[in-house]
Structures are given as structure tokens and as C-alpha cells.
Amino acid sequence: MKTLNDHVVLFDAECPMCSIYTQAFVKTGMLAGDGRQAYQHVAENSCPVYDHQRAADEIALVNLKTGEVTYGIKSLFKIIGNTWPVFAPLFTFKPFVWLMSKLYAFVSYNRRVIIPPAKSSDGFAYQPTFKLHYRIAYLLFTWFIVGYTLTAYAHLLSPMIPLGNAYREYMICGGQIIFQGAVMSFWDRRQTWTYLGNMMTISLAGGLLLLIPMAINHWLQFGSEVYALYFMGVAGLMFLEHIRRTKLLNLGWTLTITWVAYRIILLALILNLN
């Protein structure tokens, strides 16, 4: 595998995803052994050629010989294109570059709510920029995926849990975003969008776990009680993850209590009104 020498990629040490994939670049030989470094560990004046704030938003790739710096998806294209030149024409095709740059930004600006840092990172001078439209896009994306998955899974819970109309699960999921957002506006308004992003990542993870029995159901069918038991297990894992993430955000127990209360109240209404 061809190695991109004399280059160093500057990644976010507080982003587990960034750490994993840049380490993979080194382990697979796409980058040299010293080809990655956390931007948090770069001395302020040791590498003046790159934009520190932009590097916090988009991964930077520095050419140590020329001083040229690329950012974001172009950095990834340069590394991948060096290893597999067959992709080079695709990486210069403007519509593809535009599309992938938007996808990269969607993930990058939400990376810390997808997988949160293990500890507070407020002490470092440069933090990822918060962009509201990308956070709203993330909430809408996860809301749609979760609503769609729950609507499909609801058929496996019937007749134990009565079926609703085609929009019930979307309304429940969207309602929780609004409800928890309202609670956050009183509890800690500064972290509202961060919390909502984390909350919907938990919901998305739960929705993805529900795909397992849905896939198995094509070959093996079980009673609704079995699917309900599995659903409760997934809800339990989501509950534990919600506790973990709210602790990381120093939000205490209030948001977990309201998160659970909303779900219990909705379940009681579904069972009693059908």
C-alpha cells in the first residue's frame, strides 16, 4: 500500500471517531508512522501555516515539505487518492466533491454529539464551531430514521401494543425533541442543542438495534411478547446511555427523569386510548 510521506494529519484528540480513522490510516500504511498528531498537542507557534480554528472544524493535512494545507474532505481525498490512484478522477469531479463535502460537514459539525468526548474540552483554546443548521439537519435526519424504524417495529409488537396510524411514531419522537428542548430551555439553555443532539443519537442507536429482530423476522417469527421483551432491553440500554451522556454534560438527573416520564406517559396513553 502506497504511503503518503512527508504529511501529517491534525485530528481532534477529543473525537473518538477522528482518532480511530486517523490511526487506521497509519496502521494500514496510508500515512507514515508519525503522520498523525492531535491539534490540541501542537504548540501554538510550531506550525504557523495552518488555520487553527479551521483545523478544529475540519481535519487538516499538512505537507511538511511545501507547507501546503488541505482541510476536511479534501484531506481525506488526498490520503485515499494517493493510496488508490484509481479514485483520483472521482475526487476531482466537482458534483461528487460538493456532495461529499456536505456529508463530511454534516458528520464533522455533529461529531461530538454522535460520540461525545470522555471529558470536558473547554480548556483548549480552539473548539469546533457550532453551526445550528447542521445540528437541526442532524435532528431531522435522526427523527426520520427513528420514526420510520419504530413504525415498522410497531407491527411486531401488535397485538400486545395496539397499532397506531402511520404518523404516530414520528409524532412521539418529534414530541420528545420538543418536550426535552423545553425542559432544557429552563434547566440549562446554553447546552440545549448539545443535549438534543446527544439524545437523538441515543434514539438512533436504539432504532438501529431494532433492525436486528426485524431482519430475523423475515426467516423466524416470534410472538409479540418476545419482541416486546427485546424492545424493553433496548430501552434499558438507552436509559443507561442517557445517564452516561447527561453525566458527561453535567446535567444531573432531571433530564433523565423527564426523558423516562415522557415515554411512560405516552405508553400509558397508547394502552388506555386504544
Side-chain angles (χ1 to χ4, degrees), residues 84-94:
W84 293 295
V86 67
F87 291 115
L90 179 63
F91 295 161
T92 58
F93 183 54
K94 288 186 178 180

Side-chain angles (χ1 to χ4, degrees), residues 58-100:
E58 307 172 79
I59 196 162
L61 180 67
V62 183
N63 185 322
L64 299 177
K65 284 189 173 181
T66 66
E68 179 190 10
V69 185
T70 55
Y71 298 92
I73 196 65
K74 291 184 179 180
S75 297
L76 302 184
F77 283 171
K78 190 171 183 178
I79 297 170
I80 298 170
N82 178 75
T83 303
W84 293 295
V86 67
F87 291 115
L90 179 63
F91 295 161
T92 58
F93 183 54
K94 288 186 178 180
F96 180 76
V97 173
W98 179 86
L99 179 63
M100 295 307 295

Side-chain angles (χ1 to χ4, degrees), residues 32 44 69 80 114 126 128 180 183 200 202 229 242 248 261:
E44 185 75 24
V69 185
I80 298 170
I114 296 173
Y126 297 96
Q180 291 293 94
V183 174
M200 288 308 295
I202 297 169
L229 186 63
H242 192 279
L248 290 175

Side-chain angles (χ1 to χ4, degrees), residues 91-200:
F91 295 161
T92 58
F93 183 54
K94 288 186 178 180
F96 180 76
V97 173
W98 179 86
L99 179 63
M100 295 307 295
S101 66
K102 295 302 179 184
L103 179 60
Y104 176 90
F106 175 78
V107 174
S108 182
Y109 288 111
N110 289 295
R111 65 184 188 269
R112 291 193 177 182
V113 299
I114 296 173
I115 304 180
K119 58 182 180 180
S120 174
S121 55
D122 293 339
F124 187 68
Y126 297 96
Q127 295 297 320
T129 304
F130 171 71
K131 293 199 173 183
L132 181 59
H133 60 286
Y134 280 115
R135 186 57 47 82
I136 291 175
Y138 182 73
L139 296 181
L140 290 174
F141 171 77
T142 51
W143 164 76
F144 177 79
I145 296 297
V146 173
Y148 183 85
T149 304
L150 289 176
T151 299
Y153 195 83
H155 292 273
L156 302 182
L157 297 174
S158 179
M160 188 174 181
I161 304 296
L163 280 173
N165 61 46
Y167 306 105
R168 186 183 72 183
E169 304 304 331
Y170 293 97
M171 293 170 63
I172 291 174
C173 185
Q176 180 139 59
I177 296 174
I178 296 171
F179 179 76
Q180 291 293 94
V183 174
M184 277 298 295
S185 67
F186 291 102
W187 187 252
D188 188 352
R189 181 173 295 182
R190 182 179 59 88
Q191 294 200 82
T192 297
W193 294 106
T194 300
Y195 168 75
L196 290 178
N198 276 279
M199 183 190 78
M200 288 308 295

